[in-house]
Amino acid sequence: MPNRARRVAVTSPQTRLAHSRGRARGRWRVPRLESTDAERAAELYRRQRALGAVSLLLVLILLVGLPLVFWAWPELDSVRLAGVPVSWLMLAVLPYPLMAFLSWWQLRGAERIEER
């Protein structure tokens, strides 16, 4: 039988349980925060959840709004740019930079909330 690498148990060095026993066994206990820290964490969670909901709503408006624009203005199919209908360009090019901007905006907003 060829030499095989010895199996090693990998545990998180940050847990008290891992330090006390050498490796984690049993069920992990959720750490308890002090009341001021718990209030701050709950407030951060609420504010970031609200920001995430706004971001999600804007993405949905973008993705549902494009077909509505095409339905409302069917003449966009006849307008061409470099031989390609503008509606196709709007569908193929427009959503991705806007979604990237929205993701950057949401991430920056979440970081700003944490910094306060």
Side-chain angles (χ1 to χ4, degrees):
M1 185 173 213
N3 287 341
R4 296 170 77 182
R6 188 172 151 230
R7 294 182 75 180
V8 178
V10 179
T11 60
S12 172
Q14 284 98 19
T15 63
R16 284 181 283 152
L17 203 54
H19 286 296
S20 67
R21 292 187 180 169
R23 62 182 212 174
R25 293 183 193 187
R27 188 174 176 163
W28 167 247
R29 290 171 287 190
V30 177
R32 299 286 178 204
L33 296 175
E34 294 179 16
S35 64
T36 56
D37 291 338
E39 290 170 10
R40 176 164 160 61
E43 179 63 25
L44 283 173
Y45 176 72
R46 280 191 295 275
R47 292 179 67 197
Q48 288 181 347
R49 185 178 57 190
L51 181 66
V54 169
S55 299
L56 181 62
L57 180 65
L58 290 173
V59 167
L60 287 174
I61 288 171
L62 172 69
L63 295 179
V64 171
L66 273 175
L68 291 176
V69 167
F70 300 147
W71 174 77
W73 290 286
E75 59 270 4
L76 287 175
D77 283 337
S78 61
V79 179
R80 296 185 178 273
L81 183 66
V84 179
V86 171
S87 60
W88 285 32
L89 290 174
M90 287 174 63
L91 186 62
V93 177
L94 183 66
Y96 302 106
L98 289 176
M99 285 190 287
F101 172 76
L102 281 172
S103 64
W104 172 83
W105 174 76
Q106 195 275 334
L107 177 64
R108 183 65 195 121
E111 288 173 348
R112 211 175 300 124
I113 289 170
E114 285 185 10
E115 290 170 0
R116 291 183 190 166

Coordinates of all heavy atoms in Angstrom, one line a residue, residues 21-68:
R21 N -10.8 21.9 24.2 CA -10.7 20.5 24.0 C -9.7 20.0 23.0 O -9.5 18.8 22.8 CB -12.1 20.0 23.5 CG -13.1 20.1 24.6 CD -14.4 19.4 24.1 NE -15.5 19.5 25.0 CZ -16.7 19.2 24.8 NH1 -17.0 18.8 23.6 NH2 -17.6 19.3 25.7
G22 N -9.1 21.0 22.4 CA -8.1 20.6 21.3 C -8.8 20.5 20.0 O -8.1 20.7 19.0
R23 N -10.0 20.1 20.0 CA -10.8 20.1 18.7 C -12.3 20.1 19.1 O -12.6 19.6 20.2 CB -10.5 18.9 17.8 CG -10.7 17.6 18.4 CD -10.3 16.5 17.4 NE -11.2 15.4 17.6 CZ -11.3 14.3 16.9 NH1 -10.5 14.2 15.8 NH2 -12.1 13.3 17.1
A24 N -13.1 20.6 18.2 CA -14.5 20.9 18.5 C -15.2 19.6 18.5 O -15.2 18.8 17.6 CB -15.1 21.8 17.5
R25 N -16.0 19.3 19.6 CA -16.9 18.2 19.7 C -18.2 18.7 20.3 O -18.2 19.6 21.1 CB -16.3 17.1 20.6 CG -15.1 16.5 20.1 CD -14.6 15.4 21.0 NE -13.3 15.0 20.6 CZ -12.7 14.0 21.1 NH1 -13.2 13.2 22.0 NH2 -11.4 13.7 20.7
G26 N -19.2 18.0 19.9 CA -20.5 18.4 20.5 C -21.1 19.6 19.7 O -20.6 20.1 18.7
R27 N -22.1 20.1 20.3 CA -22.9 21.2 19.7 C -22.2 22.6 20.1 O -21.8 22.8 21.2 CB -24.3 21.2 20.2 CG -25.2 22.1 19.5 CD -26.6 21.9 20.0 NE -27.4 22.9 19.3 CZ -28.7 22.9 19.2 NH1 -29.3 21.9 19.7 NH2 -29.4 23.9 18.6
W28 N -22.2 23.4 19.1 CA -21.6 24.8 19.3 C -22.6 25.7 20.0 O -23.8 25.7 19.6 CB -21.2 25.4 17.9 CG -20.9 26.8 18.0 CD1 -21.6 27.8 17.5 CD2 -19.8 27.4 18.7 NE1 -21.0 29.0 17.8 CE2 -19.9 28.8 18.5 CE3 -18.7 26.9 19.5 CZ2 -19.0 29.7 19.1 CZ3 -17.8 27.8 20.0 CH2 -17.9 29.2 19.8
R29 N -22.2 26.4 21.0 CA -23.0 27.3 21.7 C -22.9 28.7 21.1 O -21.8 29.1 20.8 CB -22.7 27.3 23.2 CG -23.0 26.1 23.9 CD -22.4 26.1 25.3 NE -21.0 25.9 25.1 CZ -20.1 25.6 26.0 NH1 -20.5 25.6 27.3 NH2 -18.9 25.4 25.8
V30 N -24.0 29.3 20.8 CA -24.1 30.6 20.3 C -23.5 31.6 21.3 O -24.0 31.6 22.4 CB -25.5 31.0 19.8 CG1 -25.5 32.4 19.3 CG2 -26.0 30.0 18.8
P31 N -22.6 32.5 20.9 CA -22.1 33.4 21.9 C -23.1 34.5 22.2 O -23.9 34.9 21.4 CB -20.9 34.1 21.2 CG -21.0 33.8 19.8 CD -21.9 32.5 19.7
R32 N -23.2 34.9 23.4 CA -24.1 35.9 23.9 C -23.4 37.3 23.9 O -22.3 37.4 24.4 CB -24.6 35.6 25.3 CG -25.4 34.3 25.4 CD -26.7 34.4 24.7 NE -27.4 33.1 24.8 CZ -28.3 32.7 24.0 NH1 -28.7 33.5 23.1 NH2 -28.8 31.6 24.1
L33 N -24.1 38.2 23.3 CA -23.6 39.6 23.3 C -24.1 40.4 24.5 O -25.2 40.1 25.0 CB -24.0 40.3 22.0 CG -23.5 39.7 20.7 CD1 -24.2 40.5 19.5 CD2 -22.0 39.8 20.6
E34 N -23.4 41.4 24.9 CA -23.9 42.3 25.9 C -25.0 43.0 25.3 O -25.2 43.1 24.1 CB -22.8 43.3 26.3 CG -21.6 42.6 27.0 CD -20.5 43.5 27.4 OE1 -20.8 44.8 27.4 OE2 -19.4 43.1 27.6
S35 N -25.9 43.6 26.2 CA -27.1 44.2 25.7 C -26.8 45.4 24.7 O -27.5 45.5 23.7 CB -27.9 44.7 26.9 OG -27.2 45.7 27.6
T36 N -25.8 46.2 25.0 CA -25.5 47.3 24.1 C -25.0 46.8 22.7 O -25.4 47.3 21.7 CB -24.5 48.3 24.7 OG1 -23.3 47.5 25.0 CG2 -25.0 49.0 25.9
D37 N -24.2 45.8 22.7 CA -23.7 45.2 21.5 C -24.9 44.5 20.7 O -24.9 44.5 19.5 CB -22.6 44.2 21.8 CG -21.3 44.8 22.2 OD1 -21.2 46.0 21.9 OD2 -20.5 44.2 22.9
A38 N -25.8 43.8 21.5 CA -26.9 43.2 20.8 C -27.8 44.2 20.2 O -28.3 43.9 19.1 CB -27.7 42.3 21.9
E39 N -28.1 45.3 20.9 CA -28.9 46.3 20.3 C -28.3 46.9 19.0 O -29.0 47.2 18.0 CB -29.2 47.5 21.3 CG -30.0 47.0 22.4 CD -30.1 48.1 23.6 OE1 -29.6 49.2 23.3 OE2 -30.6 47.8 24.6
R40 N -27.0 47.2 19.1 CA -26.3 47.7 17.9 C -26.3 46.7 16.7 O -26.5 47.1 15.6 CB -24.8 48.0 18.2 CG -24.0 48.5 17.1 CD -22.7 49.2 17.5 NE -21.7 49.2 16.5 CZ -21.8 49.8 15.3 NH1 -22.9 50.4 14.9 NH2 -20.8 49.8 14.4
A41 N -26.1 45.4 17.0 CA -26.1 44.4 16.0 C -27.5 44.3 15.4 O -27.7 44.1 14.2 CB -25.7 43.0 16.6
A42 N -28.6 44.4 16.2 CA -29.9 44.3 15.7 C -30.2 45.5 14.8 O -30.9 45.4 13.8 CB -30.9 44.2 16.9
E43 N -29.8 46.7 15.2 CA -30.0 47.9 14.4 C -29.2 47.8 13.1 O -29.8 48.2 12.0 CB -29.5 49.1 15.2 CG -29.7 50.4 14.5 CD -31.2 50.8 14.1 OE1 -32.1 50.3 14.8 OE2 -31.4 51.5 13.2
L44 N -28.0 47.3 13.1 CA -27.2 47.2 11.9 C -27.9 46.2 11.0 O -28.0 46.4 9.8 CB -25.8 46.6 12.2 CG -24.8 47.6 12.7 CD1 -23.5 46.9 13.1 CD2 -24.5 48.6 11.7
Y45 N -28.4 45.1 11.5 CA -29.1 44.1 10.7 C -30.4 44.7 10.1 O -30.6 44.5 8.9 CB -29.5 42.9 11.6 CG -30.4 41.9 10.9 CD1 -29.8 41.0 10.0 CD2 -31.7 41.7 11.2 CE1 -30.5 40.1 9.3 CE2 -32.5 40.8 10.5 CZ -31.9 40.0 9.6 OH -32.6 39.1 8.9
R46 N -31.2 45.5 10.8 CA -32.4 46.1 10.3 C -32.0 47.1 9.2 O -32.7 47.1 8.1 CB -33.2 46.8 11.4 CG -34.0 45.9 12.2 CD -35.0 46.7 13.1 NE -34.3 47.5 14.1 CZ -33.9 47.0 15.3 NH1 -34.1 45.8 15.6 NH2 -33.3 47.8 16.2
R47 N -31.1 47.9 9.4 CA -30.7 48.9 8.4 C -30.1 48.3 7.1 O -30.5 48.7 6.0 CB -29.7 49.9 9.0 CG -30.4 50.8 10.1 CD -29.5 51.8 10.7 NE -29.2 52.8 9.7 CZ -28.1 53.6 9.9 NH1 -27.4 53.5 10.9 NH2 -27.9 54.5 9.0
Q48 N -29.3 47.3 7.3 CA -28.7 46.6 6.1 C -29.8 45.8 5.4 O -29.7 45.7 4.2 CB -27.5 45.8 6.5 CG -26.3 46.6 6.9 CD -25.1 45.7 7.3 OE1 -25.2 44.5 7.5 NE2 -24.0 46.4 7.4
R49 N -30.7 45.2 6.1 CA -31.8 44.5 5.5 C -32.7 45.4 4.7 O -33.1 45.1 3.5 CB -32.6 43.8 6.5 CG -33.7 42.9 5.9 CD -34.4 42.1 7.0 NE -35.0 43.1 7.9 CZ -35.5 42.8 9.1 NH1 -35.6 41.5 9.5 NH2 -36.0 43.7 9.9
A50 N -32.9 46.6 5.2 CA -33.7 47.6 4.5 C -33.0 48.1 3.2 O -33.6 48.2 2.1 CB -34.0 48.8 5.4
L51 N -31.7 48.3 3.3 CA -30.9 48.7 2.1 C -30.9 47.5 1.1 O -31.0 47.8 -0.1 CB -29.4 49.0 2.5 CG -28.5 49.4 1.4 CD1 -29.0 50.7 0.8 CD2 -27.1 49.5 2.0
G52 N -30.8 46.3 1.6 CA -30.8 45.2 0.6 C -32.1 45.0 0.0 O -32.2 44.7 -1.2
A53 N -33.2 45.3 0.7 CA -34.6 45.3 0.1 C -34.7 46.3 -1.0 O -35.3 46.1 -2.0 CB -35.6 45.4 1.2
V54 N -34.2 47.5 -0.7 CA -34.2 48.6 -1.8 C -33.4 48.2 -3.0 O -33.9 48.3 -4.1 CB -33.7 49.9 -1.2 CG1 -33.5 50.9 -2.3 CG2 -34.6 50.4 -0.1
S55 N -32.2 47.6 -2.8 CA -31.4 47.1 -3.9 C -32.1 46.0 -4.7 O -32.1 46.1 -5.9 CB -30.1 46.6 -3.4 OG -29.4 47.5 -2.8
L56 N -32.7 45.1 -4.0 CA -33.5 44.0 -4.7 C -34.7 44.6 -5.5 O -34.9 44.2 -6.6 CB -34.0 43.0 -3.7 CG -34.8 41.8 -4.2 CD1 -33.9 41.0 -5.2 CD2 -35.2 41.0 -3.1
L57 N -35.4 45.6 -4.9 CA -36.5 46.2 -5.6 C -36.0 46.9 -6.8 O -36.7 46.8 -7.9 CB -37.2 47.2 -4.6 CG -38.4 47.9 -5.2 CD1 -39.5 46.9 -5.5 CD2 -38.9 49.0 -4.2
L58 N -34.9 47.6 -6.8 CA -34.4 48.3 -8.0 C -34.0 47.3 -9.1 O -34.2 47.5 -10.2 CB -33.2 49.2 -7.6 CG -33.6 50.4 -6.8 CD1 -32.3 51.1 -6.3 CD2 -34.5 51.3 -7.5
V59 N -33.4 46.2 -8.7 CA -33.0 45.1 -9.7 C -34.3 44.6 -10.3 O -34.4 44.4 -11.5 CB -32.2 44.0 -9.1 CG1 -32.1 42.8 -10.0 CG2 -30.8 44.5 -8.7
L60 N -35.3 44.3 -9.5 CA -36.6 43.8 -10.1 C -37.2 44.8 -11.0 O -37.8 44.5 -12.0 CB -37.5 43.4 -8.9 CG -37.2 42.2 -8.2 CD1 -38.1 42.0 -7.0 CD2 -37.2 41.0 -9.1
I61 N -37.2 46.1 -10.6 CA -37.7 47.2 -11.5 C -37.0 47.2 -12.8 O -37.6 47.3 -13.9 CB -37.7 48.5 -10.8 CG1 -38.7 48.6 -9.7 CG2 -37.9 49.7 -11.8 CD1 -38.6 49.8 -8.8
L62 N -35.7 47.0 -12.8 CA -34.9 47.0 -14.0 C -35.2 45.8 -14.9 O -35.5 46.0 -16.1 CB -33.4 47.0 -13.6 CG -32.4 46.7 -14.8 CD1 -32.4 48.0 -15.7 CD2 -31.0 46.4 -14.3
L63 N -35.3 44.6 -14.3 CA -35.6 43.4 -15.0 C -37.0 43.3 -15.5 O -37.2 42.7 -16.6 CB -35.2 42.2 -14.2 CG -33.7 42.1 -13.9 CD1 -33.4 40.8 -13.1 CD2 -32.8 42.1 -15.2
V64 N -37.9 43.8 -14.8 CA -39.3 43.8 -15.2 C -39.6 45.0 -16.1 O -40.4 44.9 -17.0 CB -40.3 43.7 -14.0 CG1 -41.7 43.9 -14.4 CG2 -40.1 42.4 -13.3
G65 N -38.9 46.1 -15.8 CA -39.2 47.3 -16.6 C -38.7 47.3 -18.0 O -39.4 47.9 -18.9
L66 N -37.7 46.6 -18.3 CA -37.2 46.5 -19.7 C -38.3 45.9 -20.6 O -38.6 46.4 -21.7 CB -35.9 45.7 -19.8 CG -34.6 46.6 -19.6 CD1 -33.4 45.7 -19.6 CD2 -34.5 47.6 -20.6
P67 N -38.8 44.7 -20.3 CA -39.9 44.2 -21.2 C -41.1 45.1 -21.3 O -41.7 45.2 -22.3 CB -40.3 42.9 -20.5 CG -39.1 42.5 -19.7 CD -38.5 43.7 -19.2
L68 N -41.4 45.8 -20.2 CA -42.5 46.8 -20.2 C -42.2 48.0 -21.2 O -43.0 48.4 -21.9 CB -42.8 47.3 -18.9 CG -43.4 46.3 -17.9 CD1 -43.6 46.9 -16.5 CD2 -44.7 45.8 -18.4

